[in-house]
Amino acid sequence: MAPALLEPIQPIGLPVSTKLLGFHDALGQKHTQAKKAIAYEPGRTLVESHDSYEHQDLCPSFPNLHWEPLKEVPYHDKGLQGDARFRNLLASATDVFDYNPKIGTEIHGVNLAKLTDAQKNDLARLISTRGVVFFRNQSELDIEAQRELGAYFGKLHKHATTAVPQRPGLEDVHVVYTDRTSKGQRAVTYELQPPSYTSLKLLSGPPQGGGGDTLWTSQYAAYDLLSLPMQKYLEGLSALHSAHMQADGSAAAGRPVRRDPIITKHPLIRTHPVTGWKSLFFNPGFVTGIVGIPKAESDAIIGYLNEIISTTQEINVRYQWKKNDVAFWDNRICNHSASYGFAPHRRHAVRVANHAERPVFDPAGKSQEEELNARFGLPQVDKNGVRQSNYND
């Protein structure tokens, strides 16, 4: 049953006016018909009622479970088997376009619930290349199909603190549920093998204009923003990623912590196994320090990287959701963040992610920007901050 509107379609204080429109038929006779003017009130959106909600079994729960520490598992990236031109995936597509040169692609006409293995491999390769790929109106991708698709790419990840569905047996599904009293989307870069391919499907959310967009940042592009000396310096460093803040927050809210929190050391720059491109591997919510350098220096670098990620518009993509839309991204090369300010609307989504390889840095890796500029015959970007530049300096 579709959610009912709590308010009439016509906003209070905006009467609908009627206008008579004249036209002539094929015999030259003049007729008139009434047309209602659009009722519009800036900043006002209608709120849905969820009294009879079709996804109640996927609403959040916090079962009191305790899991053993994660152990390293084998991982083979399916993107390595994908077609370099994505021909299998795009065979049924009706449209495909990029949001900007650095990150974000939208595909129409592809049903994620009915992909062949060859199409799945192409999808992994495309996500590895573009960071995040969007698919509209994936109504056939129910939670079982979403989990099956995720499991094709690797062992599914179980989140230690966030909500899981009320329906039993779905502990590898992360529930994103935000209403007037809750909020949060969380990545897990502190894991021994942080996730790669991650899908998020919106079950219900604010209407158009009601807020609730999600933003992604390309860490390929973040690496390419750095000067050559800074790239070389950071390539030799590792950062500490901590689960303790997340676990402490859950405990303070009276919720169970299903796996003991850990601190993991990962390289600050990693190399992607599919593309061979270097990327920053830095999450502002989990990195607590950089190993082997003074604290003041560590804090300064963390602040600098935070600024790059949060203020450089050309490495970000913003997605406005509609019901049943799916975003599929690579956690190895993207940061993501929900936007708020959409009260009193509810936002409910389900996320599935698989473990990837342990992060590694390969000095033989390449720059995404330099490789694509060379491929397309574009000039390399001048990063000299005293000259005109594309970059924030």
Side-chain angles (χ1 to χ4, degrees):
M1 177 179 177
L5 293 172
L6 293 182
E7 308 184 49
I9 293 294
Q10 179 185 337
I12 297 172
L14 274 183
V16 176
S17 61
T18 300
K19 184 185 298 183
L20 293 178
L21 302 178
F23 66 95
H24 292 80
D25 63 18
L27 300 177
Q29 303 258 346
K30 185 174 182 179
H31 301 270
T32 59
Q33 67 179 17
K35 178 184 178 182
K36 291 184 178 180
I38 294 175
Y40 166 67
E41 187 172 346
R44 189 165 185 263
T45 51
L46 301 176
V47 182
E48 291 181 320
S49 169
H50 299 284
D51 293 337
S52 179
Y53 186 45
E54 61 181 318
H55 300 298
Q56 189 63 40
D57 61 331
L58 300 180
C59 281
S61 68
F62 295 89
N64 190 12
L65 304 171
H66 191 271
W67 301 325
E68 293 299 314
L70 291 173
K71 298 180 180 179
E72 194 161 357
V73 295
Y75 177 73
H76 177 74
D77 201 309
K78 297 292 188 179
L80 292 167
Q81 302 174 41
D83 179 71
R85 299 182 66 85
F86 319 110
R87 285 170 287 199
N88 302 296
L89 178 65
L90 299 180
S92 59
T94 57
D95 194 14
V96 56
F97 54 90
D98 293 339
Y99 275 56
N100 67 58
K102 300 296 185 182
I103 182 173
T105 298
E106 184 167 320
I107 298 177
H108 298 173
V110 171
N111 186 344
L112 291 176
K114 296 183 178 180
L115 297 181
T116 65
D117 286 355
Q119 289 177 310
K120 294 173 186 176
N121 297 339
D122 281 8
L123 174 60
R125 190 178 185 98
L126 179 60
I127 298 169
S128 297
T129 304
R130 292 294 302 160
V132 56
V133 182
F134 306 112
F135 298 87
R136 299 284 185 183
N137 194 27
Q138 297 292 310
S139 57
E140 293 186 49
L141 190 78
D142 58 21
I143 193 58
E144 288 81 10
Q146 188 177 355
R147 292 173 70 227
E148 181 180 353
L149 179 56
Y152 176 81
F153 298 119
K155 181 182 178 181
L156 296 184
H157 175 259
K158 294 182 179 180
H159 204 295
T161 61
T162 54
V164 300
Q166 294 179 6
R167 188 199 307 177
L170 299 179
E171 288 77 20
D172 49 19
V173 175
H174 165 49
V175 176
V176 175
Y177 186 90
T178 312
D179 56 18
R180 304 182 189 195
T181 61
S182 61
K183 67 179 183 178
Q185 284 197 55
R186 304 177 180 183
V188 285
T189 58
Y190 52 74
E191 300 288 27
L192 187 67
Q193 294 173 265
S196 55
Y197 305 116
T198 302
S199 63
L200 182 69
K201 178 178 178 178
L202 186 74
L203 304 178
S204 64
Q208 187 173 16
D213 301 353
T214 302
L215 296 88
W216 285 263
T217 302
S218 168
Q219 299 217 67
Y220 288 144
Y223 171 82
D224 285 331
L225 283 169
L226 304 172
S227 66
L228 181 59
M230 181 62 76
Q231 289 175 344
K232 296 302 180 186
Y233 173 53
L234 298 186
E235 286 173 4
L237 297 177
S238 295
L240 297 179
H241 298 244
S242 174
H244 285 270
M245 289 181 288
Q246 200 171 76
D248 292 347
S250 292
R255 296 170 178 168
V257 177
R258 296 184 288 269
R259 192 163 48 239
D260 293 340
I262 59 174
I263 298 175
T264 307
K265 183 173 74 171
H266 291 311
L268 200 50
I269 307 297
R270 70 184 295 175
T271 308
H272 199 287
V274 175
T275 63
W277 293 335
K278 298 176 184 178
S279 74
L280 186 64
F281 189 60
F282 176 83
N283 189 301
F286 298 112
V287 172
T288 58
I290 299 174
V291 179
I293 61 176
K295 184 178 187 303
E297 189 174 334
S298 171
D299 291 347
I301 292 171
I302 289 174
Y304 172 54
L305 297 179
N306 277 336
E307 182 176 359
I308 284 179
I309 289 171
S310 61
T311 67
T312 311
Q313 295 90 345
E314 65 263 31
I315 70 171
N316 285 273
V317 63
R318 183 175 187 133
Y319 185 66
Q320 187 175 88
W321 294 89
K322 293 182 179 179
K323 183 179 179 180
N324 290 324
D325 287 355
V326 172
F328 229 127
W329 71 93
D330 190 337
N331 256 308
R332 295 170 292 188
I333 53 171
C334 289
N335 285 323
H336 76 286
S337 176
S339 61
Y340 295 102
F342 55 84
H345 301 291
R346 174 192 289 183
R347 186 170 180 275
H348 182 200
V350 283
R351 192 170 88 194
V352 173
N354 66 275
H355 290 276
E357 77 282 0
R358 195 165 185 166
V360 296
F361 170 69
D362 181 356
K366 300 161 288 185
S367 155
Q368 179 199 50
E369 183 172 76
E370 290 179 3
E371 181 174 300
L372 294 183
N373 284 348
R375 183 185 305 172
F376 302 139
L378 301 174
Q380 297 300 336
V381 173
D382 182 359
K383 299 181 185 180
N384 184 348
V386 301
R387 301 181 182 178
Q388 185 177 3
S389 169
N390 287 338
Y391 289 90
N392 296 329
D393 54 21

